[in-house]
Amino acid sequence: MADLKTDVRYIKGIGEQRAKALGKLDIHTLRDLISWFPRRYEDRTEVRRIADLVPGEAACVAAMAASTPTVSHVRKGLDLVKLRAVDETGALDVTFFNQSWLKNNLRAGETYVFYGRAEGNLLRRRMTNPVVEPEGRREATGRIVPVYPLTAGVSQLILSRSIRQGLNACADILPDVLPDEIRREHQLCRAGYAYENIHFPETAEALDLARRRLAFEELFLFTLGLRRLRRRREEVEVEPFRPVDMGEFYNALPFNLTEAQRRCVEEALADMASGRPMNRLCQGDVGSGKTMVAAACAYFCVKNGRQAALMAPTEILARQHYEGLAPLLEPLGVRCALLTGSNTAKEKRDLAARLSAGEIDFILGTHALITGGVEYQRLGLVITDEQHRFGVGQRAALAGKGDHPHTLVMSATPIPRTLALILYGDLDVSVIDQLPPGRRAVQTSLVDSSYHPRIYKFLRKLVGEGRQVYIVCPAVSESEEGGDDRKAVTEYAAKLQDEVFPDLRVAYVHGKMRPKEKDAVMSAFAARETDILVSTTVIEVGVDVPNAAVMVVENAERFGLSQLHQLRGRVGRGEWQSYCVLISDNRSEETRRRLKVMTKTADGFKIAEEDLRLRGPGDFFGQRQHGLPGLRVADIGCDAQLLREAQAAADALLARDPELKTCPATAARMAELFSEAEVTFS
Ligand code: ADP
Ligand code: MG
């Protein structure tokens, strides 16, 4: 009997070679294998007759091979196998590309089931490259078939056969990490049934049961882990920070903090003075002024004789924070430095030496701050900006650089409550629910591309008044062949420069440029040396150029609402009326309705909820980018009710058994999940 840590190569029917292929998917152990869940399912239960095939629709059809397949060699690298299949209602022409081995597998007079998209017309039905198997095998047809995420050299069939073997090997030993009474109380099926049916569902109902059970399990373990993190933190004692006269800092600011900003600062300062490590999320819509809250906290920390670090997700942003804050804080005696991936090795060594010698008080940078050699002398506060780009693990890694430093997480993404509960279940939350005074709402309009001449004229007028302009093009998706954002951006910029604005200064920036180049372009834009900046969404997060007053988004339908909101947040940061122009030729009602939301509200929370409702959390965060340990089945947008149930169950369990002594399998699995995410409990 295998245990779940068994290397897949020792599982009957898998062996060295297949194990190696599976390794490419990071499937190493039996647990990895049976936890490789389908991305979706295809309902191939219904087997049709040829006459009932609908052109354009995928379906299964059972038909007899009417002749021996023919093979023709078209040219080098292109062989065709052709077959005519019939049933009592008609005939089907089947063509396979480069699968000449099928010639010997398909015999005249035998009946096969084909699954594929039907083509042709009522008189001649065709299928190209269908899935095929002998009638009665019911492996790839005639049932609900899982569709797995794949990689080169691992086909659907190999995966599902391997998983079959894996499930056979552990059918009897699958430990149930859910305590029995919780399982019963919440009407959840057993682990064995769940794993069997998530992969090989007998019926749609069985699949639902399996999914519900596994999603519950994930959310339950996740909640336990977060509760544990929080408790561990609350047990830690640190030296309380002393009160500091913040007047000096406030007087140095060019403006008064808003009341909401002040409240957030006070909450954070109180945390740091409490004798327990702070673990706070500061959430505020774009433009609400989170940077100054961070600066106030850093100042407070440094005046307590400790170092502060601020980690931003991009180099552009890190530099901008540095350039904004250093001139403010240096005169107040806070020694600032910038550390990013584009520092030379020597500069990095030098910075690291000064950090560990305590000669730097406030270090700003990218994730270079948490990589290898960086040591702090007395790290007291870690601030991460635009948190959703970092995983729980990275947050923990930076915190691990010191002896229980305080942590402050700044998030611009207004996260719907259900999601915040999951993502930040271990954090305290402050909300900046107020924009700095004098901001005017960004006028947003939705037009089609026939408006281009008028838009260009409008841009020219505003540039004439001294304003600057962003034009964003969508990243060409990777799946589209030959897609290249570079090209979209550079070509459009060249066209604008040559044909539309020969007398204006047009620049471009995209994600594939080297960080130094990107920085140079952004700095030039910030210094008003450029009038029009054409860009991909690399400018989406955080960048602050108050003089920019127009945001034009081409092909706006390609963006999520939250993303558009972030983009729009790049303008309207100064004293001028600002504009956001969404251009889309997509006339589908759904798209219009979605984009219209932008013209109707400026409230980031409303927009985020709408986005989540319309697109689901995968798009919201980027598929699997949320960095949450162990959430593979649970859908963090749609399983809100299940989340509440799982949280209630976890809390009830912890109330009666805080150390999880009665359920060792649960405790072990939770610890495993959280250590995979590099979150330690100590
Ligand atoms: P966020 O990071 O929350 O999107 P920023 O911190 O970049 O916002 O601030 C946006 C702009 O508002 C910056 O130009 C900043 O200098 C300015 N700002 C911040 N707080 C105030 C305030 N209280 N009064 C006026 N302007 C402010
Ligand atoms: Mg910001």
Side-chain angles (χ1 to χ4, degrees):
M1 236 353 120
D3 86 33
L4 291 177
K5 296 210 175 79
T6 307
D7 193 313
V8 286
R9 90 179 71 168
Y10 301 122
I11 292 167
K12 186 164 159 274
I14 291 191
E16 287 291 338
Q17 204 156 7
R18 197 172 279 183
K20 214 164 171 188
L22 292 172
K24 284 197 266 176
L25 292 169
D26 244 347
I27 297 175
H28 304 288
T29 65
L30 182 52
R31 152 127 33 222
D32 297 338
L33 181 62
I34 64 170
S35 307
W36 190 259
F37 298 124
R39 182 167 42 198
R40 59 190 179 84
Y41 300 83
E42 277 176 8
D43 189 348
R44 303 183 191 168
T45 37
E46 187 202 355
V47 178
R48 296 192 187 166
R49 296 178 311 170
I50 292 175
D52 297 332
L53 290 175
V54 181
E57 258 181 39
C60 288
V61 63
M64 182 187 290
S67 60
T68 305
T70 59
V71 184
S72 49
H73 180 74
V74 181
R75 55 177 159 78
K76 192 168 157 28
L78 183 59
D79 291 316
L80 299 183
V81 174
K82 291 196 171 187
L83 178 76
R84 198 173 167 76
V86 295
D87 69 5
E88 71 281 9
T89 69
L92 176 73
D93 290 323
V94 186
T95 310
F96 299 95
F97 285 61
N98 292 333
Q99 299 175 59
S100 35
W101 45 272
L102 276 174
K103 178 183 183 319
N104 304 321
N105 292 26
L106 301 172
R107 294 212 194 88
E110 299 271 350
T111 301
Y112 299 94
V113 182
F114 302 89
Y115 173 80
R117 214 161 63 92
E119 298 157 50
N121 52 38
L122 286 169
L123 298 173
R124 284 185 83 83
R125 302 277 189 221
R126 283 181 281 121
M127 272 191 190
T128 309
N129 286 334
V131 171
V132 59
E133 68 182 3
E135 189 179 35
R137 181 182 287 171
R138 295 187 77 240
E139 191 170 47
T141 66
R143 62 183 185 90
I144 299 173
V145 176
V147 180
Y148 294 99
L150 297 176
T151 186
V154 189
S155 66
Q156 293 295 349
L157 206 59
I158 290 186
L159 255 175
S160 71
R161 284 189 183 160
S162 304
I163 289 169
R164 181 71 268 155
Q165 302 286 3
L167 286 174
N168 293 348
C170 65
D172 304 323
I173 52 148
L174 259 183
D176 212 314
V177 300
L178 288 181
D180 269 347
E181 71 260 30
I182 291 184
R183 215 168 42 69
R184 275 195 298 271
E185 195 178 326
H186 295 272
Q187 278 137 36
L188 300 161
C189 66
R190 282 188 185 285
Y193 179 92
Y195 278 95
E196 179 66 31
N197 282 287
I198 196 98
H199 291 293
F200 304 105
E202 270 308 317
T203 60
E205 291 75 48
L207 176 57
D208 278 347
L209 287 177
R211 221 193 65 82
R212 182 179 134 83
R213 139 84 208 212
L214 291 170
F216 183 98
E217 175 182 319
E218 287 180 349
L219 295 168
F220 176 76
L221 291 170
F222 188 69
T223 306
L224 284 178
L226 289 181
R227 298 287 192 263
R228 173 76 66 100
L229 278 177
R230 174 187 281 268
R231 209 181 68 201
R232 286 288 155 92
R233 198 178 74 245
E234 283 166 356
E235 282 166 0
V236 172
E237 285 186 35
V238 295
E239 196 186 321
F241 280 10
R242 287 171 286 102
V244 164
D245 174 15
M246 295 295 289
E248 199 193 4
F249 172 79
Y250 291 135
N251 289 336
L253 296 182
F255 42 68
N256 292 322
L257 290 192
T258 62
E259 228 169 273
Q261 283 171 312
R262 284 232 183 211
R263 196 182 57 240
C264 288
V265 172
E266 272 158 28
E267 283 167 356
L269 265 46
D271 285 352
M272 290 188 272
S274 74
R276 305 261 180 254
M278 166 168 78
N279 205 21
R280 183 168 289 277
L281 168 69
C282 170
Q283 200 178 12
D285 209 344
V286 279
S288 61
K290 292 181 292 294
T291 316
M292 280 309 158
V293 173
C297 293
Y299 178 81
F300 181 69
C301 168
V302 170
K303 290 298 159 188
N304 265 278
R306 305 288 296 274
Q307 290 169 307
L310 190 159
M311 180 161 74
T314 66
E315 180 135 5
I316 292 177
L317 209 51
R319 180 173 303 272
Q320 187 166 48
H321 282 326
Y322 174 77
E323 282 166 0
L325 296 183
L328 174 74
L329 293 170
E330 291 270 2
L332 305 179
V334 178
R335 294 164 297 178
C336 302
L338 176 69
L339 173 61
T340 68
S342 46
N343 286 114
T344 62
K346 184 178 171 309
E347 285 166 347
K348 279 186 197 153
R349 267 201 311 278
D350 189 49
L351 281 171
R354 283 165 55 209
L355 263 179
S356 65
E359 291 163 18
I360 295 170
D361 301 312
F362 186 22
I363 182 99
L364 300 93
T366 53
H367 64 272
L369 295 180
I370 54 173
T371 49
V374 183
E375 297 291 336
Y376 297 81
Q377 193 201 41
R378 49 201 158 80
L379 185 60
L381 170 65
V382 168
I383 306 166
T384 47
D385 192 15
E386 314 294 350
Q387 148 74 13
H388 68 283
R389 299 258 169 145
F390 296 111
V392 179
Q394 278 167 306
R395 174 152 44 100
L398 186 49
K401 289 277 179 187
D403 184 19
H404 298 291
H406 299 292
T407 57
L408 179 67
V409 171
M410 325 284 285
S411 176
T413 313
I415 295 166
R417 192 154 299 285
T418 50
L419 224 50
L421 265 177
I422 304 188
L423 287 171
Y424 306 120
D426 65 325
L427 304 186
D428 301 310
V429 181
S430 298
V431 180
I432 312 186
D433 49 7
Q434 181 184 20
L435 295 179
R439 291 279 173 80
R440 292 194 238 174
V442 179
Q443 271 186 29
T444 304
S445 43
L446 172 61
V447 298
D448 62 43
S449 54
S450 72
Y451 279 72
H452 268 125
R454 262 173 283 182
I455 295 168
Y456 293 148
K457 208 167 133 206
F458 178 63
L459 298 184
R460 177 177 290 285
K461 170 172 159 276
L462 283 173
V463 170
E465 290 168 11
R467 301 289 79 75
Q468 290 165 283
V469 174
Y470 292 107
I471 300 182
V472 171
C473 309
V476 179
S477 81
E478 280 170 45
S479 59
E480 280 177 51
E481 232 169 289
D484 185 349
D485 339 339
R486 248 173 311 194
K487 205 160 135 218
V489 169
T490 50
E491 275 180 4
Y492 191 39
K495 178 182 157 225
L496 287 175
Q497 178 77 83
D498 296 344
E499 297 168 22
V500 189
F501 302 117
D503 51 328
L504 302 184
R505 299 163 300 178
V506 179
Y508 63 85
V509 58
H510 57 70
K512 295 198 179 98
M513 282 159 77
R514 284 206 309 275
K516 274 223 162 74
E517 294 175 293
K518 267 192 272 185
D519 270 348
V521 176
M522 284 312 299
S523 309
F525 188 69
R528 301 198 192 187
E529 288 159 18
T530 311
D531 302 308
I532 296 176
L533 182 62
V534 184
S535 149
T536 52
T537 53
V538 291
I539 54 145
E540 170 193 348
V541 173
V543 178
D544 186 35
V545 180
N547 192 50
V550 192
M551 168 64 64
V552 178
V553 184
E554 300 278 353
N555 294 97
E557 73 281 352
R558 301 253 202 125
F559 298 92
L561 287 182
S562 292
Q563 219 175 358
L564 290 173
H565 181 63
Q566 291 290 321
L567 287 170
R568 179 169 61 183
R570 299 308 108 215
V571 298
R573 304 184 142 237
E575 60 209 82
W576 299 279
Q577 177 60 53
S578 296
Y579 306 87
C580 174
V581 185
L582 307 175
I583 305 177
S584 173
D585 288 336
N586 186 313
R587 304 227 56 91
S588 92
E589 199 172 314
E590 191 199 319
T591 307
R592 307 302 291 181
R593 195 163 354 113
R594 197 164 64 81
L595 294 177
K596 274 273 180 230
V597 174
M598 293 296 297
T599 63
K600 290 198 190 113
T601 179
D603 181 333
F605 277 90
K606 271 202 199 124
I607 290 173
E609 287 194 341
E610 195 65 6
D611 207 15
L612 197 65
R613 200 174 62 73
L614 293 171
R615 305 186 358 139
D619 285 322
F620 194 82
F621 281 100
Q623 204 72 40
R624 299 288 169 235
Q625 290 294 300
H626 47 56
L628 303 178
L631 294 191
R632 291 173 161 211
V633 181
D635 179 331
I636 48 184
C638 306
D639 289 334
Q641 173 57 32
L642 198 63
L643 170 67
R644 276 191 288 276
E645 264 189 59
Q647 284 181 329
D651 287 335
L653 175 63
L654 286 173
R656 61 177 183 268
D657 178 11
E659 298 302 324
L660 304 181
K661 287 209 177 75
T662 55
C663 41
T666 312
R669 185 66 192 133
M670 176 195 68
E672 218 168 77
L673 280 176
F674 274 71
S675 73
E676 274 168 22
E678 293 172 42
V679 178
T680 48
F681 286 104
S682 53

